[in-house]
């Protein structure tokens, strides 16, 4: 199966370079390139790519605003979004993930990590650049001043196990192997967890796990 990708970046050389890296993969096809945020939203809605790769800083609409338009709360059929940027700023990372992004990378992350992030997003998983993850999770674990929200319908013990594994970055296949259950069972549990806690993707599952103190950055 070929993963169809839309690339959006306002710098021609960067956009072309990202497209070349992705098009060189046997199972990835770049189906569109956008030079600004408004164009990215237009192309994404018309082309319905499997994954959108978005720069943070773009004219018209920035990457966070585009993510919110395509994958934010209330979007009936959200698109998988990976955000990529030169700027390693916490507010960008948090803003992108809260808006619905499934991945966050720096532009110096390298082609291998870029391709992994595209595959992860297409498969419903999430990938955040390793050099960002620890600091980001530490920020999530800081006291918020209010009691952590718990689901009305409590998680089952198995759902708790799947939640913790997913929050630690384990893939569906790895979770299945770790817990000695089938891949379809993992997916069923993840769907149930997301429904109970109001999460839209694995990133939000991880955020909820840290916010409710189920995990800590250490």
């Amino acid at each position: 199966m070929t993963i169809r990708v839309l690339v959006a970046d306002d710098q021609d050389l960067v956009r072309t370079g990202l497209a070349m890296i992705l098009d060189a993969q046997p199972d990835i096809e770049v189906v569109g390139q956008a030079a600004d945020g408004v164009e990215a939203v237009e192309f994404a809605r018309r082309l319905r790519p499997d994954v959108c790769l978005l720069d943070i800083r773009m004219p018209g609409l920035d990457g966070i605003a585009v993510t919110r338009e395509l994958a934010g709360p209330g979007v009936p059929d959200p698109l998988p979004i990976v955000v990529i940027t030169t700027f390693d700023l916490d507010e960008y990372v948090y803003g992108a993930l809260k808006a619905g992004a499934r991945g966050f990378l720096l532009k110096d992350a390298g082609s291998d990590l870029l391709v992994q992030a595209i595959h992860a997003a297409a498969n419903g998983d999430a990938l955040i650049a390793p050099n960002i993850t620890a600091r980001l999770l530490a920020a999530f674990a800081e006291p918020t001043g209010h009691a952590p929200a718990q689901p009305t319908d409590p998680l089952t013990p198995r759902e708790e196990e799947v939640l913790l594994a997913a929050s630690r970055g384990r893939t569906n296949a790895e979770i299945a192997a770790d817990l000695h259950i089938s891949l379809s069972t993992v997916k069923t549990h993840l769907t149930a967890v997301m429904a109970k806690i109001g999460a839209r993707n694995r990133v939000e599952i991880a955020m909820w796990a840290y916010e409710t103190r189920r995990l800590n950055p250490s």
Side-chain angles (χ1 to χ4, degrees), residues 83-90 93 97 103-110 113-114 116-117 127-139 217:
V83 172
I84 186 166
T85 182
T86 306
F87 305 98
D88 182 11
L89 299 177
D90 288 345
V93 182
L97 298 181
F104 192 101
L105 297 175
L106 298 180
K107 288 182 179 176
D108 62 1
L113 200 59
L114 172 62
Q116 288 177 41
L127 190 151
I128 303 171
N131 54 337
I132 293 174
T133 304
R135 190 184 71 244
L136 180 65
L137 295 181

Side-chain angles (χ1 to χ4, degrees), residues 5 14 16-28 53 82 84 105-120 127 129-130:
V5 178
V14 173
T16 301
L18 292 171
M20 288 178 63
I21 291 170
L22 296 177
D23 269 332
Q25 305 303 310
D27 60 349
I28 296 177
L53 180 65
V82 174
I84 186 166
L105 297 175
L106 298 180
K107 288 182 179 176
D108 62 1
S111 58
D112 288 346
L113 200 59
L114 172 62
V115 172
Q116 288 177 41
I118 295 298
H119 280 106
L127 190 151

